[in-house]
Amino acid sequence: MTKVALQEFLTPPAEMARRRGPQDEIVLSSRVRLARNLEGCPFPGTAKKEQRQKVLGTMLPAVESLKLMQNGFSTAMDALTALDKTILVERHLISREHAARNVGSGLVLNKDESVCVMINEEDHLRMQALLPGFQIKQAWKLIDGVDTELEKSLDYAFSPVFGFLTACPTNLGTAIRVSAMLHLPGLVLSEQIEPIIQSVNKLGLAVRGLYGEGTEALGNIFQVSNQMTLGEAETSIAERLEKVVKQIIEHEENARGTLLERSPKTVYNHIGRAYGVLSNAHSISSKESMNLLSFLRLGLELGHFPGVDRSVVDELFVQTQPAHLQRMHTGRLSGEERDLLRADMLRQQLRNMSRPVMQAPPGQADDSAEKTN
Amino acid sequence: MTKVALQEFLTPPAEMARRRGPQDEIVLSSRVRLARNLEGCPFPGTAKKEQRQKVLGTMLPAVESLKLMQNGFSTAMDALTALDKTILVERHLISREHAARNVGSGLVLNKDESVCVMINEEDHLRMQALLPGFQIKQAWKLIDGVDTELEKSLDYAFSPVFGFLTACPTNLGTAIRVSAMLHLPGLVLSEQIEPIIQSVNKLGLAVRGLYGEGTEALGNIFQVSNQMTLGEAETSIAERLEKVVKQIIEHEENARGTLLERSPKTVYNHIGRAYGVLSNAHSISSKESMNLLSFLRLGLELGHFPGVDRSVVDELFVQTQPAHLQRMHTGRLSGEERDLLRADMLRQQLRNMSRPVMQAPPGQADDSAEKTN
């Protein structure tokens, strides 16, 4: 395990933003999470402090010793600052619930942040693999390996009838949650997102906002995940989600194509305004900047910002979040101060990015085509 | 009188925008309007068509023959297209009510559009002088001259008790309306506009939006005018309005100063965003563009756009209005098409205008100071 402060350990946002994965123009990341509990110990929610500390004492070394976790980061939750915890939430490494935990809870993170194990969240163990782009199978393999290794030294609570036992019955059985984070501005702009969400729901899958359950779909980003964990094998759950995500990707691509064909100005308008506000505002909220960065990302993918790498935008997606902004400054920032600094950062970063060059789809005249100024 | 089409006669918006007047950084224009009626003829609202035509037949040559109206433009309202009429409204030359008139109503305009006489609007004669900047006295002198000349050949309806008789009793007496069009972004941004409006109301003056009674204060533009026309001499009414306008100018200047001192970022934010949206949108409504142009104008006055003349913005204020946009295009435009063309025009015009350079007031550090890119 590395013995540095969390913030030193974490990958710089610029490097995170440069990580690529298959079809990452639409699938931002793929994630598989497993829940496990120790036989004979009460679940964290009902356990006493001493019991939780005992579980943590067993778990931490077990997880740390895994080969995959070499040069990783390990900590008790009470050793982290509130800022550290929020940064982990903003990176989708831990849940909001886990960020609220202190004594008796812990966390182990591998070197490249692709594997994160939470100890004493809702269950004794919550382990996840998080990979850039569309890599559901790979994420499943990765976390399955971690699980298999840990099983050798830990005695999991398992019922031959119900499968893995979990604190919440909705996780019972495989205790698996497979999810993909999707960037769907085309479906949002063409107002097809609601029917798509409804169809996906009917297939037994959930669609949520950027930070999971009960959160808003900021930046046109949606999380699709399985609901059922009982009566279906892990690989089958993963494959089913993969199929549905493939279909959503197709719908998004079609929506973008149709928009550009039928109402290119609507698309240009969103992209142009997003660029205009992001590169000129002097105060901007996290929510607004997320929503506008989404259209900037779309513009980059449509080739409206020649010579600009998408990582510029992807880095800003990370950096403009409240805790990431705060860590770059000494002294506690108020929300208002953060809005000013966020705008300063955006102007600074986008200063050298020229105005979008809007190109009409082949065969269509477009009087709005502009040269870079 | 000139015998060309109205649209050929009218001053190009670029020339209008270059006209300067005292304190025109806040006072956009000064206007004095007089209402007069002919003795022994029913008011236009109750007159029969033949009676109105007879009045028009008397009035038109009388007004046309004035020295001030030489090389002017004279027409019956039914000879104008709907587009012509709306253009006149957008230039504040005629009222919306007059634009709705046809047979039996008319209009005479002098060469530089500073004097406009409406025939058979609500009264037989409505004559106005409209000058750029803070020139209430000059506007009064100008229209008083027109009135004196006309009085020589026309028999005005006048009562020794009530003064000039008018169709609506609220105009009785002097039948004068003195007004100034004020650009007050500072008072709006600092949320002082409401108390100011209330104080002005208490002084017996009205505050209205851009197009007079019952209209919105688009672009932070407000019209201040007298309410009472009875029991006070014209010069006294004009002087009183002048005094109040002077005070409002001071309040606006103070508001701008205080804003820049206490919350410069709020000001920069509005100016920056306005520039960003106006120069990058691909669709924009008349209302939004008016409101954003207001902040661009403020930015110009604060020196944030070095080397750019204010007439660029003032011209856009005129050109982006619906009828002015329509007249530049063949074929009737829908509202949606106008929004696209308005955005095209704005991008085109602002393309060579560099990003605002925000300077902190003397003695204050400002990390947001930017070089032009």
Side-chain angles (χ1 to χ4, degrees), chain A residues 136-170:
Chain A
I136 289 178
K137 256 194 217 88
Q138 291 83 338
W140 159 242
K141 264 193 195 159
L142 188 57
I143 207 63
D144 188 33
V146 172
D147 183 44
T148 307
E149 279 305 305
L150 280 178
E151 212 173 4
K152 290 179 186 163
S153 62
L154 299 174
D155 188 15
Y156 286 161
F158 184 84
S159 143
V161 180
F162 297 119
F164 291 105
L165 300 179
T166 52
C168 179
T170 56

Side-chain angles (χ1 to χ4, degrees), chain A residues 26-42:
Chain A
I26 292 175
V27 187
L28 302 180
S29 62
S30 303
R31 179 174 164 268
V32 178
R33 181 273 281 159
L34 298 174
R36 298 289 182 260
N37 287 280
L38 291 186
E39 181 65 38
C41 303

Side-chain angles (χ1 to χ4, degrees), chain A residues 110-129:
Chain A
N110 77 337
K111 184 68 195 132
D112 67 358
E113 297 172 37
S114 63
V115 174
C116 181
V117 181
M118 293 182 271
I119 298 162
N120 282 332
E121 201 243 28
E122 189 182 278
D123 297 294
H124 293 145
L125 270 181
R126 288 260 175 133
M127 46 188 129
Q128 75 164 24

Side-chain angles (χ1 to χ4, degrees), chain A residues 44-58:
Chain A
T46 50
K48 290 187 184 131
K49 187 175 155 188
E50 291 72 33
Q51 292 174 309
R52 281 188 284 120
Q53 282 175 315
K54 203 187 143 206
V55 167
L56 182 62
T58 314

Side-chain angles (χ1 to χ4, degrees), chain A residues 265 268 356-360 365-371, chain B residues 282 344 347-348 351:
Chain A
K265 298 287 187 123
Y268 299 169
V357 185
M358 307 302 190
Q359 281 146 337
D366 181 15
D367 56 352
S368 78
E370 292 188 322
K371 284 272 165 265
Chain B
H282 282 254
D344 289 347
R347 286 202 320 284
Q348 196 82 29
R351 168 181 297 187

Side-chain angles (χ1 to χ4, degrees), chain A residues 265 268-269 272-273 275-277 280-284 288 344 347 351 353 355 358 367-368 370 373, chain B residues 265 268-269 272-273 275-277 280-284 288 344 347 351 353 355 358 367-368 370 373:
Chain A
K265 298 287 187 123
Y268 299 169
N269 194 35
R273 282 169 176 261
Y275 165 82
V277 171
N280 289 289
H282 282 255
S283 172
I284 190 164
E288 185 184 5
D344 289 347
R347 288 202 318 286
R351 169 181 298 188
M353 196 163 148
R355 286 186 189 162
M358 307 302 190
D367 56 352
S368 78
E370 292 188 322
N373 80 328
Chain B
K265 299 286 188 121
Y268 299 170
N269 194 37
R273 282 169 177 260
Y275 166 81
V277 172
N280 289 288
H282 282 254
S283 172
I284 191 164
E288 185 184 7
D344 289 347
R347 286 202 320 284
R351 168 181 297 187
M353 196 164 151
R355 285 185 190 164
M358 307 303 190
D367 56 353
S368 78
E370 291 187 323
N373 81 327

